[in-house]
Amino acid sequence: LGEASKADILVYNTCSIREKAENKVYSALGSQAKRKRQHMGDLKIIVAGCVAQQEGQQLLRRVPEVDIVMGPQHANRISQLLEQNRDGE
């Protein structure tokens, strides 16, 4: 997590097979969401993978600081999705 505190873009690649995966994702997102609020949104947060796909809109409601939620099928589109997010699409 030391390096995460310096990142401009964070990608949490999640797996719902892991025990308590959802809780771990929300826990990790909590500190980064706080960091994003304090730095006026310079940080981009992406949640990818199975948990992201399962949680979808609920994840965005619980942690509105998340910029992109995407299932595993979109992993090859991260740069495109970041551009769309930056452009407000």
Side-chain angles (χ1 to χ4, degrees), residues 4 7-12 29 32-33 35-36 39-47 65-68 78 81-88:
D8 293 329
I9 299 171
L10 288 173
V11 179
Y12 289 96
L29 288 173
Q32 297 306 326
R35 179 178 148 221
K36 183 172 183 168
H39 296 293
M40 305 301 286
D42 292 340
L43 173 64
K44 293 292 183 190
I45 302 174
I46 300 170
V47 182
E65 294 81 7
V66 170
D67 296 286
I68 299 171
I78 288 178
L81 293 170
L82 277 168
E83 285 179 30
Q84 289 174 346
N85 180 268
R86 182 195 67 217
D87 296 340

Side-chain angles (χ1 to χ4, degrees), residues 2-34:
E3 296 300 315
S5 67
K6 298 176 184 176
D8 293 329
I9 299 171
L10 288 173
V11 179
Y12 289 96
N13 189 24
T14 63
C15 177
S16 59
I17 294 173
R18 308 262 316 168
E19 186 176 339
K20 301 179 185 174
E22 293 87 357
N23 293 342
K24 290 179 183 180
V25 169
Y26 285 114
S27 176
L29 288 173
S31 61
Q32 297 306 326
K34 180 179 177 182

Side-chain angles (χ1 to χ4, degrees), residues 56-85:
Q57 291 298 317
Q58 181 177 339
L59 195 149
L60 290 170
R61 281 191 297 275
R62 285 183 63 181
V63 188
E65 294 81 7
V66 170
D67 296 286
I68 299 171
V69 175
M70 60 184 219
Q73 71 275 20
H74 297 293
N76 60 337
R77 297 184 53 221
I78 288 178
S79 62
Q80 178 185 2
L81 293 170
L82 277 168
E83 285 179 30
Q84 289 174 346
N85 180 268

